[in-house]
Amino acid sequence: MADISKEQVKHVAHLARLAVTDEEVEQLVDELSAIIDYAEQLNELDTDGIEPTTHVLDLKNIMRKDEPKEWITQEEAFKNAPDQQDGHFRVPSILGDS
Amino acid sequence: MSLFDHTIKEIEAKLHNKEITVQDLVDESYRRIKEVDGQVHAFLTLDEENARAKAKELDQAADTTASLFGIPGGIKDNIVTKGVRTTCASQFLDNFNDPLYDATAVQKLKNEQAISVGKLNMDEFAMGSTNENSSYTPTRNPWNTDYVPGGSSGGSAAAVAAGEVLFSLGSDTGGSIRQPASFCGVVGMKPTYGRVSRFGLVAFASSLDQIGPITRTVEDNARVLEVIAGHDEMDTTSANIDVPKYTEALTEDISGLKIAVPKEYLAEGVAPEVRESILEALKVYESLGATWEEVSLPHSKYAVSAYYLLSSSEASANLARFDGVRYGVRSENADNMIDVFKKSRSEGFGPEVKKRIMLGTFALSSGYYDAYYKKAQKVRTLIKQDFDKIFEDFDVIVGPTSPTTAYKVGELIDDPLTMYANDILTIPVNLAGVPGISLPCGFSENGLPIGLQIIGKYFDESTVYRAAHAFEQATEHHKKRPQLGGAN
């Protein structure tokens, strides 16, 4: 059984910006351990010297001229915003206890 | 018989002969939705006012030659539609009522005068194989509403199967078009990675995601893909390769076609009635002059593990954009900025989405990256090479789409690893990036559809369609209809 601790789950949850309850932590320890355990089967394969595939197509950088284009207006950008003020997305204080 | 038992080509002829109007088509779509969607739950949002206005406008139009002129379709709810609510079946986007633009695939449908009647249900953020992860009422299978429609494009497949629309768009990251097409007895195509622009598709796993059509017949499917495929400067991963006329590939002549049948695709774990149905299909192919041979995809058993590591890692990065600042539902319980992120995401995402974000973040985190993420990428190379090798000698690969027919609602909800493992026949196709289609090839004893999967070479959707069409025309499976809500 893969050994994923409660502390690891809490750390990963913080990295992922998820708030987890103690109950969820317990559950995630079991669920993640089971998946990671299952994924250990990949270690049966010798992959020394095999190139990793990040992408199946032969992709190259695509360059374009740096020219301004019409896209959306400032007004449109705020249409779905939870909160806004004076042309900015408004959020609670950033400095403070977290 | 419903108007929607006709192919798009037949409907087009009826429109041209003035036997029917576009308004008749849109009326029929909403009539059917009102009749059966209370049982099927395929739709999350209807766009009735716009659709009816468009129908009226098209009925006045002088030029009726567009290739999807007046054809009613539905759009999976992870594909953005300008001014029409797009939720990804997530509470996080419950209030995302006013998207600012159309996805390129949607724009292309509009250019050919197709009519979108609404947005289709799915597993939240396309994570799931049953639609039970929808945060709204999950879609049910039109063939038997005690069963799931598959997923994640369950709404897209069920809406076509139930005769609510003539076509739909789905998205396929690990089987999410083909598996629900299989469970619902319709035709679903995952094109080659890069064939259809992903611009406006809410990203799940960017190196695997692909938009594709779901329809009742192969011909209809080819027609829709012809419209939505092609290069798009808004998606740098879309391929700059000409789009062939897929409908012209449907010659019914497949003599000499070389079919590979991977032994792993008929192995233990595939239900006996599914295996029998595929063997019957191979006999049909023999009778049409094709030949088949058993081959091996030796690394396919590792595909599920590699897929869950890679797709969850990509998802954890992609879903970082849902922060409660610019759109979406912001938690009302947040006192500071970090709280806005954490609480909005925790309240907005369902359990499966959180689990995959956690898995992906873990696999990418310091100390584990090489052991899990990079290892999975290397295994992906081996899986891709398996396909490359077979396609040196064969035109297509044939097997089942799913090892089983549809599950009963709730059957696998507490057994995620079995559910994941059941995607073993579709996942390798996404990892390799090649095209694959599912079409009906039979029914189980309890009356549920069985799907035949045909996999092709990169950008050779034409051969996949030709092989699928020849089989469809030689059999009767696609003519069967679910008996829902007093149909017929």
Side-chain angles (χ1 to χ4, degrees), chain B residues 181-424:
Chain B
S182 172
F183 282 10
C184 291
V186 291
V187 181
M189 170 65 117
K190 183 207 86 76
T192 308
Y193 180 82
R195 182 72 289 185
V196 178
S197 168
R198 293 182 296 110
F199 181 67
L201 171 66
V202 177
F204 163 10
S206 305
S207 79
L208 301 161
D209 295 343
Q210 186 58 192
I211 292 174
I214 296 178
T215 56
R216 195 162 297 120
T217 68
V218 175
E219 183 189 83
D220 285 356
N221 205 285
R223 193 167 178 129
V224 177
L225 184 61
E226 228 166 70
V227 169
I228 62 171
H231 179 249
D232 175 16
E233 64 170 22
M234 301 302 280
D235 173 8
T236 53
T237 63
S238 71
N240 202 347
I241 295 174
D242 285 345
V243 180
K245 289 288 261 180
Y246 298 122
T247 45
E248 287 172 9
L250 311 178
T251 58
E252 294 188 32
D253 178 11
I254 55 157
S255 56
L257 186 83
K258 289 169 82 177
I259 298 172
V261 180
K263 62 178 185 207
E264 293 81 4
Y265 277 50
L266 293 174
E268 209 183 317
V270 175
E273 52 189 353
V274 172
R275 188 183 304 127
E276 274 164 38
S277 182
I278 302 304
L279 292 173
E280 279 300 313
L282 290 170
K283 280 186 200 156
V284 172
Y285 275 114
E286 282 175 4
S287 75
L288 295 170
T291 57
W292 68 274
E293 228 174 279
E294 190 176 278
V295 299
S296 176
L297 288 169
H299 297 99
S300 57
K301 74 167 177 167
Y302 301 101
V304 173
S305 294
Y307 171 81
Y308 276 94
L309 290 172
L310 294 173
S311 65
S312 301
S313 295
E314 293 186 25
S316 72
N318 276 324
L319 271 61
R321 64 169 55 86
F322 298 103
D323 57 9
V325 174
R326 294 149 301 151
Y327 50 80
V329 177
R330 181 186 293 182
S331 171
E332 287 170 4
N333 308 313
D335 299 327
N336 61 47
M337 195 60 224
I338 290 283
D339 249 20
V340 167
F341 300 149
K342 286 190 173 178
K343 288 188 175 157
S344 302
R345 290 163 64 78
S346 300
E347 292 164 20
F349 294 149
E352 182 69 22
V353 174
K354 284 187 214 174
K355 184 166 78 184
R356 297 210 201 185
I357 291 173
M358 289 290 291
L359 175 64
T361 307
F362 174 76
L364 292 175
S365 65
S366 173
Y368 296 96
Y369 179 88
D370 283 349
Y372 296 111
Y373 183 69
K374 202 164 180 190
K375 179 81 185 182
Q377 285 188 313
K378 288 181 171 188
V379 173
R380 184 175 184 183
T381 304
L382 296 174
I383 288 164
K384 182 179 183 301
Q385 288 170 350
D386 284 353
F387 281 92
D388 290 343
K389 196 157 163 259
I390 287 176
F391 282 129
E392 284 172 17
D393 300 316
F394 295 90
D395 300 309
V396 289
I397 297 172
V398 164
T401 306
S402 172
T404 67
T405 52
Y407 325 125
K408 243 187 169 150
V409 172
E411 187 179 338
L412 288 181
I413 214 155
D414 295 322
D415 190 3
L417 285 178
T418 300
M419 185 146 33
Y420 292 176
N422 279 349
D423 292 337
I424 186 145

Side-chain angles (χ1 to χ4, degrees), chain A residues 2-4 8-20 24 27-28 31-32 34-57 59-60 62 64 69 71-73 75-84 89-98, chain B residues 95-101 193-194 199 206-207 233-234 236-237 239 299 301-302 304-306 308-309 324-328 330 334-338 340-343 345-346 349 354-355 357-359 361-362 365 368 371-372 374-382 384-385 417 420-421 431-433 458-459:
Chain A
D3 205 12
I4 296 180
Q8 265 178 306
V9 165
K10 287 180 189 167
H11 173 63
V12 170
H14 173 69
L15 292 177
R17 298 295 184 262
L18 290 170
V20 282
E24 283 173 317
Q27 202 180 338
L28 281 163
E31 288 175 343
L32 293 184
I35 297 171
I36 291 295
D37 222 28
Y38 180 72
E40 297 290 345
Q41 68 159 181
L42 297 184
N43 292 323
E44 292 168 15
L45 292 170
D46 179 4
T47 52
D48 283 351
I50 304 287
E51 284 295 314
T53 295
T54 46
H55 218 283
V56 290
L57 300 179
L59 288 180
K60 295 183 182 65
I62 295 167
R64 60 167 172 78
K69 268 188 190 173
W71 181 230
I72 54 168
T73 63
E75 194 187 336
E76 284 173 330
F78 288 111
K79 268 191 190 172
N80 296 289
D83 199 3
Q84 54 173 299
F89 294 104
R90 190 182 141 98
V91 294
S93 81
I94 290 172
L95 299 173
D97 301 335
S98 62
Chain B
N95 65 355
F96 190 45
N97 295 322
D98 206 354
L100 302 181
Y101 57 88
Y193 180 82
F199 181 67
S206 305
S207 79
E233 64 170 22
M234 301 302 280
T236 53
T237 63
H299 297 99
K301 74 167 177 167
Y302 301 101
V304 173
S305 294
Y308 276 94
L309 290 172
V325 174
R326 294 149 301 151
Y327 50 80
R330 181 186 293 182
D335 299 327
N336 61 47
M337 195 60 224
I338 290 283
V340 167
F341 300 149
K342 286 190 173 178
K343 288 188 175 157
R345 290 163 64 78
S346 300
F349 294 149
K354 284 187 214 174
K355 184 166 78 184
I357 291 173
M358 289 290 291
L359 175 64
T361 307
F362 174 76
S365 65
Y368 296 96
Y372 296 111
K374 202 164 180 190
K375 179 81 185 182
Q377 285 188 313
K378 288 181 171 188
V379 173
R380 184 175 184 183
T381 304
L382 296 174
K384 182 179 183 301
Q385 288 170 350
L417 285 178
Y420 292 176
L431 291 172
Y458 290 102
F459 298 103

Side-chain angles (χ1 to χ4, degrees), chain B residues 10-39:
Chain B
E10 287 163 0
I11 300 255
E12 182 180 51
K14 285 178 184 294
L15 283 170
H16 287 175
N17 298 337
K18 306 215 183 300
E19 280 174 57
I20 57 166
T21 63
V22 176
Q23 290 174 89
D24 292 339
L25 288 170
V26 170
D27 283 348
E28 169 61 11
S29 183
Y30 286 113
R31 185 198 64 74
R32 184 67 176 162
I33 290 168
K34 269 151 209 159
E35 182 180 42
V36 301
D37 214 56
Q39 299 170 69

